[in-house]
Amino acid sequence: MLTKFDKRDRAGLFRERLAQAMADKGETQSGLARRVGVDRSTISQLLGGDGARLPNAQVVAECASALAVSADWLLGLTERPEPLANLLATSLTLTEAPRALIDETIFGWHQEAAGYKVRHVPATLPDMFKTREMLRWEYEPQLGRSADQAIGASEDRLEWIRGAQSDYEIALPLHELRAFARAEGYYSGLPYAIRIAQIDRLTRLCDQLYPRLRIYLFDARRVFSAPVTIFGPLLAVIYLGRHYLAFRDSQRVVAISQHFDWLVREAQVGARDFPSFLKGLRDDLTRRESAGAQDRSR
C-alpha cells in the first residue's frame, strides 16, 4: 500500500529519487540536461531547493526515459524503479520446455529455490522419484539410443535436487497412480516388474524423507490442476507442454500457492496416509497379476 504524500513531501521524494537514479547511472547534471533537452540550470533546480513544486509531465517522462526508470517511481507512485515493460518482461516469461528429464531451466529454478519449500503438481509421476527402468521406458521412445546417456546426465541433477534441503509437497490426481498401477492410458504397456519396483521405490522414499517429502492425492472429478511448480516465494511455473509459463510477481506466486493449498485441503489421501495407499495399490496389483497368470496358464 502506497503512502499518501502532500505536495511538499512528494516533491522532496522526487528530488531524492532523481538524484539516486543519476548516481546509479553515473549521470551528471549536464549530461542529463542534454538527454532531456533542457538547460543545466533546470536540472539543478529539480535537484535543489525544498519547495513543493514538481516539474511538468514532459520533463518527468524524459528524465525517467533517460535514466531507465519509471516516471511513477520518480513521483513516488510505486516502489519499483523499473519501467513497466521491464517489469512485465521479468515477471512473466515463456520458456521452451524440451522433452528432457531435468533441463537447464528447471535445474536452475531448483538451484535458485534451494532451502525453500517446493510445491509441485507433476504432469505424470515426479521424475525425481522414478526408477532408472521407469525413466528408460518413458523417455526411450523419444530419445532413442541417447536415452541412457540422458538418464545418466540427469541423475546427478536429480540427486542434487533431492539433497537440496528443500521441503517438497507434491499433489497428484488419484487416477494418475491408479492408471500407472494398472498400465492404462499413458502407462499402457508398462511392464509389471517396473510398476512394482516403482511403487516400492516411492514407498521407501516416503518412509525415508517424510516430513520433508509430503505427497497428497486429490480426486480430479472434484478438483483439478494443470501441471505447476511453485518455487518458494520466488517463482510459480505452469507447464504447457512445449513451454513453461513462469510468473515472478508476488501476487501471482501467492495466487498459485493458494491454488496448491486448495488441492491439499481437498485431498482424498493425505501425506500420512500415502504409504498405506501405496501398499493397497501394490496388493491390488499383485492380485491382478496373479489372477492374470492363472488365466494364462489354463
Side-chain angles (χ1 to χ4, degrees):
M1 184 175 180
L2 294 172
T3 303
K4 186 175 181 179
F5 294 99
D6 64 27
K7 289 183 178 181
R8 187 175 297 275
D9 290 336
R10 191 173 299 283
L13 182 61
F14 173 82
R15 289 191 290 269
E16 290 175 10
R17 290 189 169 181
L18 181 62
Q20 178 185 334
M22 290 175 64
D24 290 343
K25 295 295 181 181
E27 186 65 89
T28 64
Q29 292 186 23
S30 297
L32 182 60
R34 286 194 299 271
R35 298 179 66 184
V36 173
V38 297
D39 295 334
R40 182 185 179 283
S41 60
T42 300
I43 301 299
S44 180
Q45 290 171 7
L46 294 179
L47 293 167
D50 57 1
R53 187 175 180 181
L54 286 164
N56 64 45
Q58 180 66 26
V59 172
V60 173
E62 292 295 339
C63 286
S65 177
L67 297 170
V69 296
S70 74
D72 282 351
W73 178 75
L74 286 177
L75 293 170
L77 300 175
T78 178
E79 295 304 313
R80 296 293 299 266
E82 303 95 329
L84 179 59
N86 291 358
L87 281 173
L88 289 174
T90 56
S91 66
L92 173 62
T93 57
L94 191 66
T95 306
E96 187 175 356
R99 179 65 168 157
L101 297 177
I102 299 293
D103 60 54
E104 292 286 348
T105 301
I106 284 285
F107 187 55
W109 288 333
H110 277 281
Q111 288 179 307
E112 183 181 353
Y116 286 113
K117 180 186 291 185
V118 176
R119 299 167 174 180
H120 185 38
V121 182
T124 61
L125 299 182
D127 278 350
M128 63 191 298
F129 303 134
K130 290 175 182 172
T131 65
R132 190 178 182 90
E133 291 73 21
M134 179 72 192
L135 290 169
R136 183 181 296 108
W137 177 87
E138 190 168 8
Y139 286 95
E140 199 166 46
Q142 192 266 338
L143 298 175
R145 294 179 180 177
S146 64
D148 278 339
Q149 182 180 356
I151 291 169
S154 297
E155 283 180 334
D156 288 344
R157 292 179 177 182
L158 292 168
E159 190 60 35
W160 185 93
I161 289 171
R162 285 193 289 264
Q165 300 304 309
S166 294
D167 285 354
Y168 282 87
E169 287 188 332
I170 296 173
L172 281 164
L174 276 163
H175 73 261
E176 186 73 25
L177 273 173
R178 287 171 175 157
F180 158 77
R182 298 173 183 177
E184 296 172 348
Y186 177 85
Y187 303 99
S188 179
L190 181 60
Y192 167 78
I194 293 179
R195 285 177 278 151
I196 284 290
Q198 181 62 68
I199 291 174
D200 290 344
R201 177 174 175 76
L202 268 177
T203 301
R204 286 195 304 272
L205 288 172
C206 286
D207 289 341
Q208 294 168 4
L209 300 178
Y210 183 86
R212 282 187 51 219
L213 169 65
R214 298 185 293 280
I215 300 179
Y216 304 86
L217 302 179
F218 60 88
D219 184 352
R221 292 173 298 180
R222 295 180 58 249
V223 295
F224 173 78
S225 179
V228 61
T229 306
I230 304 141
F231 296 91
L234 308 174
L235 173 70
V237 180
I238 299 173
Y239 178 60
L240 301 179
R242 293 183 61 191
H243 294 88
Y244 302 117
L245 189 61
F247 299 93
R248 286 191 177 274
D249 59 298
S250 58
Q251 286 186 326
R252 287 180 174 83
V253 173
V254 168
I256 297 172
S257 297
Q258 290 171 344
H259 163 77
F260 189 93
D261 291 340
W262 171 66
L263 295 177
V264 170
R265 286 196 304 272
E266 297 294 326
Q268 295 289 97
V269 178
R272 289 182 179 273
D273 299 325
F274 183 66
S276 297
F277 177 86
L278 287 177
K279 183 180 184 304
L281 205 64
R282 192 186 197 284
D283 291 344
D284 181 65
L285 178 53
T286 54
R287 281 195 299 268
R288 287 171 175 269
E289 182 67 16
S290 177
Q294 290 177 6
D295 290 342
R296 290 191 294 271
S297 66
R298 291 173 184 169

